[in-house]
Amino acid sequence: MKKPKKLSKLSIIGYGAGDAANNLAFTTATMFLLVYYTDVAGISAAAAGTLLLTVRIFDAFADVFAGRVVDRTFSKRFGKFRPFIMFGSIPLLLLSVATFSIPELGESGTLLYAYVTYAALGLAYSLVNIPYGSLAGAMTQDPGERAKLGSARMIGALLVGSALGIFVAPLIKPGADLQETFTTITVAFVVVGAALYFFTVLTAKERVHRAVPNVTFKQSMDTLKGNKPLLMLCLSSFFFLSGYLALTSVQLYYLRDVLGRLDLYPVLSIIQLVLTFVLAGFMPRLVRNFGKKRVYIYSSLLTVIGGITVFLAPASQVWIGFTGLVVSLLGVLAVNIVVWALEADTVEYGEWRTGVRTEGITYALFSFTRKTGQAVGGALAAYALALGGYKSGAVQTAEAVFGIQVAAGAIPAVLTIVAVAVMSKYKLTDARHAEILAEIRSRRDSGADDAAGGTSDDAASSSPDGPASDTKPLASTTN
């Protein structure tokens, strides 16, 4: 069996550039949209929470729609995924400008404008991000190379997140002209984002063979049906992302209104950036030595420890609370690197069962659960602010401070514990994935794909990993 060709450094960097572009819209929204709604647009915390919940659930269904569109599309010249990035990127970036440019329309008009623009932004993001995320599985099937793509993706995202934290977050203080700030930033991102997206299109090429370029609806559903590893990963990610988005949504509030140290936001962003580069260098080795599942679980436990620290640290103990944030985010960074490689593995599991690769709908289902988790997490954070009695521009009461601590610490810790409990049942280990890849390649080499179409559903469902005869471990990376 021929060993998979390694990815070039340029293609890895190019793939990472795509997520940097994605996060010019996505991270700007997750970090600042709640603050923008409450402190600039004048929307109440409770109304903003309901808005975030409603629109992000809509976004989740938009992901499924985008996944089906991707699976039905194939260009001989550009492949299956890159055309969406080429033609969807500019509308996405322009909608980010519109989302952060709410005119004075009165209470009802303002809320309606916020709903419409954020929903449109979410749909545009789905039509770019689903193809982008699916592209990794089509670039390589090698676990180490996929870990490199996950690392590149995380670096791209964190470069943007860190830049926002270092240069933008310190500007979010009472009395500042925040509307002008957000307008300037989002307009600049249109130019920068377009350049990054087209760099991805030119360098990140599809190399994995596909027997069925245009996938029918029935074939899409068949690959999802019985894909237990995908379902377990989706469920775990739902809880993990719910906790993470609760933290992300109120991180600025926590530093500004609880610890009274908004100046630490740039410091936190620099620490995140350094940690990301360190993790990116070590992640392929960690995956080889411990396996992706164990890395996911151990990293999640760091997030739990950090969340408990944030929740319990007195407001006067600035450095204890800040350390809790760092520990929590270290766990988040590691999980967000390895989770994309885990998702790509489930594509091969579906192909092994059915003979059809469906990156689009597989990634869409995964993204659907992540989006619903983001919706729940953002809404829980906003509701915690509302229940605590948060008031924009005022000195916060003890109840409001407690609400922020709940959102930044308690909610992430509890939900991440649930995510770990679910992931402990995940059966698609690295050794099992290697077996599946070997069988897929063997079928392809013997021309058996069209004849057999994979293992029958009855046989595959006899155990979480498929036929009992195929469950022998092949390597020491089994979890």
Side-chain angles (χ1 to χ4, degrees):
M1 183 175 58
K2 189 163 63 175
K3 189 175 181 180
K5 184 180 178 183
K6 298 293 184 181
L7 295 172
S8 69
K9 290 183 179 179
L10 186 64
S11 64
I12 294 171
I13 293 171
Y15 186 74
D19 215 32
N22 278 341
N23 281 276
L24 292 175
F26 180 78
T27 302
T28 302
T30 56
M31 285 177 67
F32 300 124
L33 194 56
L34 180 57
V35 175
Y36 178 79
Y37 283 156
T38 59
D39 292 13
V40 181
I43 299 172
S44 70
T50 301
L51 188 161
L52 294 176
L53 177 64
T54 303
V55 175
R56 285 173 178 169
I57 288 177
F58 164 79
D59 288 350
F61 285 98
D63 281 352
V64 177
F65 166 75
R68 276 300 303 142
V69 172
V70 170
D71 278 343
R72 289 170 57 88
T73 305
F74 184 79
S75 165
K76 289 184 178 180
R77 182 177 180 184
F78 297 109
K80 181 174 280 288
F81 307 115
R82 291 185 297 157
F84 292 92
I85 301 173
M86 291 173 61
F87 299 112
S89 55
I90 302 300
L92 166 63
L93 295 166
L94 290 175
L95 281 166
S96 182
V97 178
T99 299
F100 281 93
S101 302
I102 300 180
E104 295 183 7
L105 299 171
E107 184 177 348
S108 298
T110 295
L111 200 56
L112 177 61
Y113 181 94
Y115 268 96
V116 171
T117 52
Y118 192 32
L121 176 67
L123 177 60
Y125 183 75
S126 294
L127 288 170
V128 173
N129 185 55
I130 295 299
Y132 169 78
S134 304
L135 181 59
M139 290 176 68
T140 180
Q141 293 179 311
D142 181 83
E145 296 298 288
R146 283 182 173 172
K148 291 178 183 177
L149 290 176
S151 297
R153 177 174 188 165
M154 182 53 54
I155 288 172
L158 259 295
L159 283 172
V160 171
S162 298
L164 291 172
I166 293 167
F167 300 112
V168 179
L171 304 177
I172 314 299
K173 47 188 167 185
D177 187 354
L178 298 182
Q179 182 60 72
E180 182 180 352
T181 297
F182 284 118
T183 300
T184 302
I185 291 167
T186 51
V187 169
F189 285 173
V190 174
V191 178
V192 177
L196 290 170
Y197 276 127
F198 279 89
F199 179 50
T200 299
V201 169
L202 293 172
T203 57
K205 305 294 180 66
E206 300 172 34
R207 302 191 307 174
V208 174
H209 169 82
R210 64 179 67 254
V212 184
N214 302 97
V215 181
T216 67
F217 179 78
K218 183 179 184 302
Q219 288 170 325
S220 291
M221 293 303 101
D222 285 344
T223 59
L224 297 182
K225 184 175 62 178
N227 194 331
K228 292 180 181 178
L230 173 63
L231 298 179
M232 297 299 288
L233 182 62
C234 286
L235 186 59
S236 180
S237 291
F238 167 80
F239 289 111
F240 185 85
L241 263 292
S242 295
Y244 172 42
L245 259 291
L247 169 60
T248 302
S249 298
V250 298
Q251 192 168 273
L252 187 145
Y253 295 88
Y254 180 74
L255 289 168
R256 184 187 66 185
D257 299 316
V258 177
L259 301 184
R261 293 295 303 272
L262 183 58
D263 61 301
L264 288 178
Y265 208 121
V267 177
L268 181 65
S269 297
I270 293 171
I271 292 173
Q272 284 183 256
L273 188 60
V274 172
L275 289 175
T276 301
F277 279 102
V278 172
L279 284 172
F282 279 99
M283 190 56 69
R285 183 182 302 175
L286 290 174
V287 167
R288 286 193 298 269
N289 292 340
F290 299 102
K292 293 185 285 289
K293 174 183 173 180
R294 285 180 178 168
V295 171
Y296 181 104
I297 290 176
Y298 297 157
S299 301
S300 296
L301 292 176
L302 283 177
T303 300
V304 173
I305 294 170
I308 293 172
T309 303
V310 168
F311 176 62
L312 296 178
S316 60
Q317 300 298 315
V318 174
W319 294 109
I320 294 178
F322 184 77
T323 300
L325 281 181
V326 172
V327 172
S328 184
L329 290 172
L330 174 61
V332 168
L333 293 174
V335 168
N336 280 345
I337 289 175
V338 76
V339 73
W340 304 111
L342 286 163
E343 183 275 333
D345 289 353
T346 66
V347 172
E348 270 89 43
Y349 185 90
E351 182 182 5
W352 171 72
R353 296 185 69 258
T354 66
V356 179
R357 285 186 71 84
T358 55
E359 293 102 334
I361 197 64
T362 301
Y363 186 88
L365 180 62
F366 181 58
S367 187
F368 174 88
T369 55
R370 288 173 66 84
K371 285 282 185 71
T372 53
Q374 292 162 8
V376 171
L380 287 175
Y383 293 149
L385 293 182
L387 289 174
Y390 171 81
K391 300 292 184 184
S392 174
V395 176
Q396 304 305 322
T397 64
E399 290 77 13
V401 168
F402 180 73
I404 295 170
Q405 287 178 305
V406 168
I411 291 175
V414 171
L415 292 177
T416 304
I417 289 171
V418 178
V420 169
V422 172
M423 197 62 183
S424 66
K425 306 296 183 183
Y426 183 81
K427 301 296 184 182
L428 185 56
T429 64
D430 289 4
R432 184 70 191 115
H433 178 250
E435 288 183 329
I436 287 171
L437 274 184
E439 186 170 337
I440 290 173
R441 289 173 184 146
S442 176
R443 292 178 192 169
R444 191 174 298 150
D445 293 341
S446 64
D449 281 309
D450 293 334
T455 305
S456 69
D457 284 353
D458 290 339
S461 61
S462 63
S463 78
D465 290 323
S469 62
D470 287 336
T471 58
K472 300 189 296 285
L474 290 182
S476 60
T477 53
T478 184
N479 297 320

